[in-house]
Amino acid sequence: MMQSTPKQPARRGRIFPERTLSPEELARCKAEDEAFDRRCWAIFERVRPDLIQEHYGWYVGVEPDSGDYFIDADRMQAHKKVLEKYPNKDHFVYCLNETGTTGRI
């Protein structure tokens, strides 16, 4: 039986080691993400009781810097409504239900 030899040597480690983030940078990014999530969730919690009775199962797109929110029956349309008004801002989309989750686990 003949063994074939690989044409390229096996790579070990990261493909782009220069793009590796330090633990401090990772912690900073995680803290920023958690702060953003808390700001969005606070707005969603404020408007959910008013909207859940008439629009159960609809979606709410939240832009936390302005405090604006946009609702639609379709998740992508709620997302697009936020992007139309705030094209360069981060936002979050929640479902009007008991948990705020938008998909399946």
Side-chain angles (χ1 to χ4, degrees):
M1 183 192 287
M2 186 177 204
Q3 281 188 332
S4 63
T5 58
K7 294 181 181 182
Q8 291 182 341
R11 294 185 184 183
R12 296 182 188 258
R14 296 186 57 92
I15 296 174
F16 300 107
E18 66 276 2
R19 292 188 181 178
T20 302
L21 296 177
S22 68
E24 295 83 15
E25 184 71 14
L26 288 173
R28 185 188 62 78
C29 290
K30 183 177 180 183
E32 287 176 359
D33 288 347
E34 289 174 354
F36 178 78
D37 291 344
R38 282 192 301 272
R39 290 178 22 227
C40 291
W41 184 255
I43 294 168
F44 176 67
E45 282 292 309
R46 187 184 75 226
V47 301
R48 178 168 60 172
D50 299 332
L51 299 174
I52 199 167
Q53 296 299 323
E54 290 186 35
H55 304 289
Y56 187 87
W58 284 37
Y59 296 92
V60 179
V62 176
E63 198 286 308
D65 293 335
S66 66
D68 286 348
Y69 62 92
F70 304 87
I71 67 169
D72 200 281
D74 181 55
R75 180 172 49 123
M76 288 308 295
Q77 291 303 316
H79 170 71
K80 286 178 183 178
K81 285 180 180 181
V82 178
L83 286 178
E84 284 175 8
K85 187 162 183 185
Y86 302 103
N88 298 321
K89 294 281 196 167
D90 289 334
H91 63 278
F92 211 96
V93 177
Y94 297 100
C95 185
L96 279 170
N97 57 24
E98 291 79 15
T99 61
T101 56
T102 60
R104 296 184 199 177
I105 296 177

